[in-house]
């Protein structure tokens, strides 16, 4: 475990990042110095950055909450509330939901009830026993996941998040 004490710093795929109670993180995703995605990690949160490319990023949300923004034609897949294997099989895990953003900006909060907020574009929420294509959540809508039930909840706006005050020209720089 390494404590980050400066910014910017390098963060590679297949690593975890955890924030403390008074900290947060902004991850700028690039390839050959070309920006293509941003992750905003809230206090007391932990993610695992898996496969990472401009078209698809897998981010496991172990705890807390995070927001995700991608450039056009890119998307994030976010398994949430993950139960790890008890048999030492590190590659085996069971999420309570998988959120896939489709050219979008969205926020996810893990916990007893998972909350998903689609701020732009569309996203799909799948549950472990889902037999269909999942539940589509469109821009300016929010949903809660409780077991296999995906229900609409009061929507939020970007203004409800700390990162709206941050410089967001990163994705527009190319």
């Amino acid at each position: 475990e390494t404590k980050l004490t400066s910014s910017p710093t390098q963060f590679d795929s297949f690593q975890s990042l955890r924030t403390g109670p008074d900290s947060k993180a902004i991850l700028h995703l690039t390839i050959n110095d070309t920006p293509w995605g941003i992750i905003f990690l809230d206090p007391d949160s932990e993610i695992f950055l898996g496969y990472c490319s401009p078209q698809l990023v897998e981010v496991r949300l172990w705890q807390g909450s995070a927001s995700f923004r991608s450039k056009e034609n890119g998307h994030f897949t976010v398994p949430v509330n993950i139960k790890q294997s008890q048999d030492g099989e590190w590659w085996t895990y069971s999420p309570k939901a998988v959120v896939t953003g489709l050219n979008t900006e969205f926020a996810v909060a893990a916990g007893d009830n998972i909350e998903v907020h689609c701020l732009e574009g569309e996203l799909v929420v799948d549950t472990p026993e889902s037999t269909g294509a999942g539940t589509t959540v469109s821009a300016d809508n929010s949903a809660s996941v409780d077991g296999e039930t995906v229900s609409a909840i009061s929507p939020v706006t970007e203004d409800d998040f700390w990162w709206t005050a941050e410089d967001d020209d990163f994705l527009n720089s190319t």
Side-chain angles (χ1 to χ4, degrees):
E1 186 169 299
T2 302
K3 183 174 182 173
L4 301 178
T5 57
S6 65
S7 164
T9 190
Q10 180 79 22
F11 185 76
D12 295 319
S13 295
F14 306 104
Q15 293 184 348
S16 291
L17 178 64
R18 180 177 48 219
T19 56
D22 298 319
S23 62
K24 47 195 169 210
I26 300 174
L27 280 75
H28 287 173
L29 305 175
T30 64
I31 190 163
N32 295 328
D33 293 326
T34 302
W36 55 270
I38 302 175
I39 301 171
F40 299 98
L41 191 60
D42 293 334
D44 279 328
S45 298
E46 183 177 3
I47 60 170
F48 174 83
L49 187 62
Y51 179 79
C52 197
S53 79
Q55 289 76 38
L56 172 64
V57 184
E58 184 192 58
V59 180
R60 297 178 188 175
L61 182 59
W62 295 115
Q63 68 182 30
S65 56
S67 300
F68 306 88
R69 182 185 302 157
S70 62
K71 266 196 149 170
E72 187 176 335
N73 299 322
H75 66 270
F76 287 90
T77 297
V78 184
V80 185
N81 282 12
I82 301 162
K83 179 182 175 193
Q84 292 182 296
S85 169
Q86 300 301 313
D87 300 326
E89 298 171 336
W90 57 267
W91 61 91
T92 304
Y93 65 96
S94 302
K96 299 289 183 190
V98 176
V99 180
T100 303
L102 308 171
N103 302 325
T104 190
E105 181 172 8
F106 65 98
V108 179
D112 292 336
N113 288 321
I114 299 164
E115 289 189 1
V116 180
H117 308 286
C118 186
L119 304 169
E120 188 177 295
E122 284 187 330
L123 54 88
V124 175
V125 180
D126 283 309
T127 56
E129 304 298 321
S130 176
T131 57
T135 301
T136 300
V137 180
S138 59
D140 302 322
N141 287 288
S142 297
S144 175
V145 181
D146 185 10
E148 292 297 314
T149 304
V150 179
S151 306
I153 59 174
S154 296
V156 299
T157 68
E158 280 189 355
D159 295 334
D160 293 318
F161 299 96
W162 62 267
W163 45 261
T164 58
E166 299 294 323
D167 176 15
D168 64 354
D169 292 338
F170 171 73
L171 287 179
N172 301 328
S173 63
T174 59

